[in-house]
Amino acid sequence: MNKTVELPPTEIEVEELRQTSYNATLIQRIDIHEELALFRIQPDSAVVPFQPGQYLTLGLGYWESRVSNSQAEVLEPKQWRKVVKRAYSISCPMLDSMEQLAPCSQLDYYEFYVTLVRRAEHPPALTPRLFQMQEGDRIFAAPRIVGTYVLDGVGPDDDVVFFATGTGEAPHNAMSAELLHRGHRGRIVSATCVRLRRDLGYLAAQTRLTVKYPNYVYLHFTTREAENTNPGFHGFVGKQHLQQVVESGLFEAAAGLKLDPKRTHIFLCGNPAMIGYQPPGAPPLTSPGMLQILRQRGFHDHGSDGPGQIRFEKYW
């Protein structure tokens, strides 16, 4: 008896798979540079209400093409007709075209802040396909939005500090816009660390926001610019990881705010090394992360939702 040989889907099959698998459209793509972009995705049905800071799963079929110079990928026949999915925190534009605040609750689309990953321990499946998309292309967006990294327990007069690396800034954008939309009276500080200044995808909007709202501060730090890596460069400051700027006192001086556990909520999102997360059984950390530094200052990452709480989201 001859064994049936499974073949990749034909062009006709691909169109059928797209029709049955996808339920949303890429309505706008804003490229920050060739490996960083904002994707605005509109579901076929209405946008689902959600809490800022939560995440949504996106998906594209393995049958879709990938950007050039990506790590080689070998698919098994069982993957040819499958959809690869990954969860992304929902961001927001911060300000609209009229320079008015643009919280997620007023948008009819979801915004995502995504870095193209060309190579990894295993061949990246989703972002090389996502970065092939053009406006008008179709995609899968999960009907449910989930996550516990939210603003529960934040009072209107509390200080809120967000620390992020790279695209870990996304949920903080959504939460900052929501706080300002509520008329939050406490201080809000959003601090982001990136390799290069070109990786600050929201810098223009964030700068305008700090002018518009006196209680909002946006701080950005880099690790790979000339002033970070070249001791002979005029204005050399060394690598400015968030852990270092907090321990040195630079953060509090720049923010004009004291990290006081009696009135401050802390949110951490991004590189696990920045967070200082140590899963059970993992080897000791080579250097302290924000969790270790903040615990020494009286903050805690468990217990009540009031001030002094550290919430964190591991972004990979």
Side-chain angles (χ1 to χ4, degrees), residues 164-166 191-195 200 219-223 240-242:
T165 58
T192 301
C193 180
V194 294
R195 295 176 179 181
L200 294 165
L219 302 175
H220 52 87
F221 304 94
T222 57
T223 60
Q240 292 189 305
H241 293 289
L242 293 175

Side-chain angles (χ1 to χ4, degrees), residues 151 154 158-162 179 184 187-189 264-265 267:
L151 292 167
V154 174
D158 295 341
D159 292 335
V160 183
V161 177
F162 300 107
L179 287 171
H184 190 78
R187 300 290 303 283
I188 306 167
V189 182
T264 308
H265 300 256
F267 291 81

Side-chain angles (χ1 to χ4, degrees), residues 18-316:
R18 287 172 177 156
Q19 290 180 22
T20 57
S21 302
Y22 297 159
N23 61 353
T25 302
L26 175 63
I27 60 169
Q28 188 175 16
R29 170 177 170 169
I30 302 172
D31 288 285
I32 310 304
H33 55 70
E34 67 276 8
E35 295 186 345
L36 181 66
L38 307 180
F39 295 87
R40 293 175 176 171
I41 293 173
Q42 189 171 63
D44 294 343
S45 55
V47 166
V48 177
F50 64 95
Q51 295 186 68
Q54 293 186 303
Y55 58 85
L56 182 151
T57 296
L58 299 178
L60 287 168
Y62 278 106
W63 57 81
E64 304 291 1
S65 63
R66 302 164 78 232
V67 295
S68 61
N69 298 320
S70 293
Q71 185 176 353
E73 176 188 70
V74 179
L75 299 179
E76 298 179 10
K78 64 181 181 181
Q79 294 175 293
W80 288 340
R81 293 166 176 80
K82 299 288 187 180
V83 173
V84 57
K85 300 176 182 178
R86 184 186 167 186
Y88 290 94
S89 294
I90 302 172
S91 186
C92 77
M94 309 296 287
L95 293 169
D96 63 21
S97 59
M98 302 299 290
E99 295 295 299
Q100 298 301 306
L101 197 64
C104 294
S105 60
Q106 295 186 355
L107 305 178
D108 63 354
Y109 59 83
Y110 304 119
E111 178 161 306
F112 301 94
Y113 188 30
V114 185
T115 297
L116 169 61
V117 180
R118 295 181 186 271
R119 292 170 178 78
E121 182 179 353
H122 301 289
L126 187 54
T127 64
R129 291 178 167 87
L130 188 62
F131 274 74
Q132 280 285 77
M133 293 187 70
Q134 302 299 320
E135 293 178 3
D137 286 349
R138 301 281 286 162
I139 190 171
F140 169 80
R144 292 183 65 243
I145 299 174
V146 295
T148 58
Y149 188 66
V150 295
L151 292 167
D152 288 352
V154 174
D157 295 299
D158 295 341
D159 292 335
V160 183
V161 177
F162 300 107
F163 291 107
T165 58
T167 54
E169 179 183 359
H172 298 168
N173 294 341
M175 288 191 275
S176 295
E178 173 63 22
L179 287 171
L180 293 171
H181 179 62
R182 294 179 188 176
H184 190 78
R185 296 186 293 269
R187 300 290 303 283
I188 306 167
V189 182
S190 182
T192 301
C193 180
V194 294
R195 295 176 179 181
L196 302 167
R197 273 184 287 276
R198 74 174 196 148
D199 298 326
L200 294 165
Y202 288 87
L203 181 57
Q206 295 278 19
T207 301
R208 296 197 300 274
L209 206 64
T210 60
V211 174
K212 193 175 181 69
Y213 294 91
N215 64 327
Y216 183 75
V217 177
Y218 181 69
L219 302 175
H220 52 87
F221 304 94
T222 57
T223 60
R224 296 193 183 180
E225 292 286 355
E227 65 264 29
N228 307 124
T229 60
N230 182 1
F233 186 83
H234 178 69
F236 175 73
V237 294
K239 293 187 176 182
Q240 292 189 305
H241 293 289
L242 293 175
Q243 305 94 300
Q244 295 164 341
V245 300
V246 169
E247 286 193 296
S248 68
L250 175 60
F251 169 79
E252 290 179 321
L257 172 144
K258 178 178 173 56
L259 292 173
D260 181 358
K262 294 181 180 179
R263 60 172 295 113
T264 308
H265 300 256
I266 303 287
F267 291 81
L268 311 173
C269 186
N271 191 322
M274 178 275 288
I275 295 172
Y277 175 68
Q278 188 176 13
L285 299 172
T286 57
S287 60
M290 294 295 293
L291 285 173
Q292 290 73 41
I293 294 168
L294 292 167
R295 286 168 186 158
Q296 291 181 350
R297 295 179 176 225
F299 288 88
H300 54 89
D301 49 301
H302 56 82
S304 66
D305 287 333
Q309 177 86 359
I310 309 169
R311 300 169 178 85
F312 62 93
E313 187 89 309
K314 301 182 297 295
Y315 218 58
W316 62 79

